[in-house]
């Protein structure tokens, strides 16, 4: 049994809003090298903690955590499509193990997963079904959100389960770091927007493209120093990455929901997926962290961080 970890920011703007060419090339090269490493590792199971952006999960029923027993890629931003290769028996076994460990998770035989799940798999493997994957959704977009302590507990329980499989397991954490996409808050949204947040599944293509274009424009304005998006927070991002590498969950757990939003934007809450992934890695045994890269990229509205970890030797 060997467990490895990769955590990375995702940003659907990579192929739609031009950033500094040198930085763009560095980010893509880093993912390509990691993809080579993953293919050499040949994982028998990929466990992915990832968010949704009101594309597949809505307020009509929004659990803190959901394990996908079957899952489909929505294909938003033209990133990934089709069915994820979810091993159903393992997904059910994981759910039973989490329940036995007093960790509450929902289950879905029809999970719809957006770019938060699809992009990292595509960047590493070229497609969403390159490896068997267990998708675990962490609610990072629909307040009130699960606490960092809850997320850590989820990750720890998943890590204990993964360590007992006797398989080569890759743990992925997808999301963050600081970024502030135009995701409305139901508390202040006008009725039509609130209804979208409650039950907006399968929108017309025109509506989906309009949301995507709004995201592009938010990033363009951010890069020009305009608009209302919270600026990226590179100092906070780097500090958070260092905390995860050190196995320090206490610092981020001490931050309230409002404080994290103020510092890192509404998308900053996606760091919960890093917390879950690192907690799972720590539960599987001692690990050696590896910093891959970090760049604040306003054109992509992303504090772009990539990190990895292997078992300590």
């Amino acid at each position: 049994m060997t467990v490895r970890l990769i955590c990375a920011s995702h940003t659907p703007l990579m192929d739609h809003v031009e950033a500094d060419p040198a930085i763009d090339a560095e980010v893509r090269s880093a993912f390509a090298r990691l993809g080579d490493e993953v293919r050499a590792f040949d994982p028998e199971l990929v466990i992915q903690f990832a968010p949704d952006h009101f594309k597949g999960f809505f307020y009509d029923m929004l659990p803190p955590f959901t394990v996908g027993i079957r899952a489909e890629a929505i294909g938003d931003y033209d990133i990934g499509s089709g069915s994820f290769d979810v091993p159903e028996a393992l997904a059910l076994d994981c759910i039973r193990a989490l329940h036995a460990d007093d960790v509450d998770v929902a289950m879905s035989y029809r999970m719809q997963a957006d770019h938060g799940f699809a992009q990292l798999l595509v960047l590493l493997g070229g497609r969403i079904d390159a490896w068997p994957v267990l998708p675990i959704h962490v609610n990072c977009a629909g307040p009130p959100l699960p606490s960092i302590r809850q997320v850590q507990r989820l990750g720890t329980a998943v890590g204990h389960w993964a360590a007992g499989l006797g398989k080569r397991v890759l743990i992925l954490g997808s999301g963050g770091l600081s970024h502030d996409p135009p995701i409305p808050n139901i508390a202040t949204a006008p009725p039509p927007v609130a209804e979208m947040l409650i039950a907006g599944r399968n929108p017309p293509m025109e509506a989906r493209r309009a949301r995507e274009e709004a995201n592009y424009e938010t990033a363009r304005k951010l890069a020009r120093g305009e608009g209302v998006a919270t600026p990226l927070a590179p100092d906070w991002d780097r500090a958070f990455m260092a905390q995860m590498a050190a196995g320090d969950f206490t610092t981020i757990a001490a931050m309230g929901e409002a404080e994290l939003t103020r510092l890192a934007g509404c998308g900053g809450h996606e760091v919960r997926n890093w917390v879950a992934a690192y907690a799972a890695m720590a539960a599987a045994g001692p690990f050696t962290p590896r910093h891959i890269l970090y760049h604040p990229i306003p054109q992509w509205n992303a504090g772009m961080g990539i990190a990895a970890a292997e078992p300590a030797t």
Side-chain angles (χ1 to χ4, degrees), residues 147-162:
S147 72
I148 297 297
R149 288 182 295 277
Q150 285 179 283
V151 173
Q152 181 186 352
R153 189 177 178 191
L154 167 72
T156 298
V158 170
H160 286 153
W161 171 77

Side-chain angles (χ1 to χ4, degrees), residues 185-199:
N185 189 309
I186 195 168
T188 55
V193 176
E195 180 59 24
M196 181 276 293
L197 297 173
I198 295 169

Side-chain angles (χ1 to χ4, degrees), residues 15-76:
D15 297 319
H16 299 280
V17 181
E18 185 175 346
D20 181 292
I23 293 175
D24 181 298
E26 183 181 352
V27 171
R28 294 178 193 274
S29 177
F31 279 120
R33 290 194 305 273
L34 283 172
D36 290 341
E37 291 182 16
V38 174
R39 281 185 286 275
F41 177 53
D42 190 22
E44 296 169 272
L45 179 66
V46 174
I47 300 172
Q48 186 177 33
F49 298 97
D52 177 73
H53 308 78
F54 288 103
K55 305 287 180 61
F57 288 82
F58 297 85
Y59 272 119
D60 59 353
M61 186 64 69
L62 187 52
F65 313 120
T66 303
V67 175
I69 301 170
R70 299 172 188 167
E72 294 284 327
I74 292 172
D76 58 323

Side-chain angles (χ1 to χ4, degrees), residues 277-288:
Y278 272 95
M281 186 71 191
F287 66 86
T288 299

Side-chain angles (χ1 to χ4, degrees), residues 191-273:
V193 176
E195 180 59 24
M196 181 276 293
L197 297 173
I198 295 169
R201 288 175 186 79
N202 306 315
M205 183 58 71
E206 304 79 40
R208 194 172 91 180
R209 293 303 188 197
R211 283 188 66 184
E212 292 171 1
E213 184 55 46
N215 201 5
Y216 306 152
E217 187 58 24
T218 295
R220 294 183 189 110
K221 288 181 178 178
L222 181 65
R224 296 195 300 264
E226 303 171 0
V228 297
T230 300
L232 302 179
D235 290 344
W236 185 87
D237 291 342
R238 292 187 181 97
F240 172 77
M241 293 180 72
Q243 291 158 20
M244 293 299 97
D248 170 17
F249 303 106
T250 304
T251 303
I252 185 67
M255 291 187 69
E257 201 171 296
E259 183 184 9
L260 202 159
T261 301
R262 179 180 61 80
L263 287 172
C266 70
H269 290 284
E270 292 175 359
V271 299
R272 283 166 166 75
N273 299 294

